[in-house]
Amino acid sequence: MEMKQRVQHLIADVERACIKYKLNMTIYDGKLAFVDQESRHIVATWGPQFKLSEESEHGGE
């Protein structure tokens, strides 16, 4: 499966999950935020934590 198709499938999965759990998504403070549709309050944020490899940090040198 091509990268573009994988991304399209992921987006569709996220959309279905948001509908199922009655949440909206937005960006807040540089993170994904999950908003309750009824109260319109942010109920959680998610900002992935990762460390770049040393090769990436040094531009591949």
Side-chain angles (χ1 to χ4, degrees):
M1 183 181 305
E2 291 182 27
M3 179 65 73
K4 186 175 181 178
Q5 290 174 318
R6 290 173 33 202
V7 170
Q8 289 172 339
H9 285 272
L10 177 60
I11 290 169
D13 289 345
V14 169
E15 288 175 343
R16 281 190 295 274
C18 284
I19 291 167
K20 179 179 179 177
Y21 295 107
K22 298 180 181 177
L23 295 170
N24 293 330
M25 287 178 38
T26 190
I27 304 295
Y28 178 77
D29 200 23
K31 298 178 182 179
L32 285 175
F34 300 92
V35 180
D36 179 74
Q37 290 179 354
E38 292 180 12
S39 69
R40 298 185 183 229
H41 289 99
I42 293 174
V43 293
T45 59
W46 178 63
Q49 299 290 321
F50 60 91
K51 181 179 179 190
L52 298 175
S53 67
E54 288 185 28
E55 184 175 306
S56 296
E57 291 175 357
H58 300 291
E61 294 179 39

